[in-house]
Amino acid sequence: MASLKEIKTRIGSVKGTSKVTSAMKMVSSAKLHKAQGLINAMLPYQRSLDNIVSNFLSGETPFKSPYVLQEGQQSGQENSLQIPAGSQKVAIIVFSSNSSLCGPFNYNVIREFTSLILDLKTEMVSDEAIEVYAIGKKVEDAVKKMEFKPVTSLNAAGSSESTFSFQSLAAKPDYKNIFKLADHILKQYASGVYSKVYVIYQHFKSAGVQKVQRQLYLPLEISAYKKQQTASSDGWLNNYIVEPSVSEVIEALLPQLLKQKLYTCLTDSYASEHAARTIAMQVATDNAEDLIQELTVLYNKSRQQAITSELLDIVAGSVQ
């Protein structure tokens, strides 16, 4: 059995750990509240943009865009430029956190990334044809261990814009910088450098539920945005008079839709990270409190046994 001093030292150590986990929980809870505010402020704009694009696309107006996958066309079959498929790359944008202690958050993202790599290899895509945009230190380290060379800043991606690190995006969502990244991805795809672009992130459903998502970012499947034209509650159809033309408006809206989609992935990942860390630190704090109670009981028992042993020694000595 451990000595009283060892048990008391361990109790103090666990109490110190409990204070740290409790403080981390409060910090992550505050950041989660802020992230939820960002999502709530963004949702009305996102829904309105989706609704406008959906209404325009439902009108069957012909238009040309290098970012869409036309109906009946297979993904990667054609791009804006007729470039051989072997000369094109597949880009993967992966969102993670910069730090750990957030439960299975980073593990699930890395596992989904590994699964996507295996799926691409079955499609005969070589490692050299895969370019990874690692947003977050944890996924950046994991990608390097898999012997990929991740893009970690906009400058490294070959852009002439001002340089910023992708780790700064994981630490704090910034729509200006994420829009710069999205603009760079769109240009690379439109010029034929990429045949496909995937995005992997944690979708924030609630404070207790986060689910990893793998989505095809480019080409955009417009069939998912089309809907059947139905009359509204007041009996009117969504028919618009548009200037200069519906096709030009659609072509201008699609890049904005794609940029907004990438910002949505960033805010989702940020909120999911702090939700996962809040839960993990709450569990750690509860476990520390349970361990403190167990150690306290053990300390009291050991102390009582020591006192009883000393009393017996005194009584035995007095009898002799």
Side-chain angles (χ1 to χ4, degrees), residues 191-211:
S191 62
V193 176
Y194 300 140
S195 61
K196 292 181 181 178
V197 181
Y198 291 92
V199 60
I200 298 175
Y201 68 101
Q202 284 270 20
H203 173 55
F204 178 80
K205 288 188 174 182
S206 66
V209 180
Q210 304 87 42
K211 186 177 180 181

Side-chain angles (χ1 to χ4, degrees), residues 104-105 108-109 201-204 210-213 268-269 272:
F105 173 80
N108 290 337
V109 170
Y201 68 101
Q202 284 270 20
H203 173 55
F204 178 80
Q210 304 87 42
K211 186 177 180 181
V212 66
Q213 298 284 332
D268 255 1
S269 178
S272 298

Side-chain angles (χ1 to χ4, degrees), residues 133-183:
Y133 290 79
I135 302 178
K137 187 177 186 300
K138 291 301 177 181
V139 73
E140 178 184 333
D141 294 340
V143 169
K144 289 179 179 178
K145 288 181 180 179
M146 297 174 66
E147 298 183 353
F148 288 97
K149 294 182 179 179
V151 180
T152 58
S153 66
L154 190 59
N155 186 49
S159 175
S160 59
E161 301 288 340
S162 58
T163 304
F164 67 93
S165 171
F166 291 166
Q167 290 187 19
S168 63
L169 290 176
K172 183 179 180 181
D174 186 347
Y175 72 92
K176 290 184 179 180
N177 284 338
I178 197 67
F179 275 26
K180 290 180 182 179
L181 173 61
D183 187 61

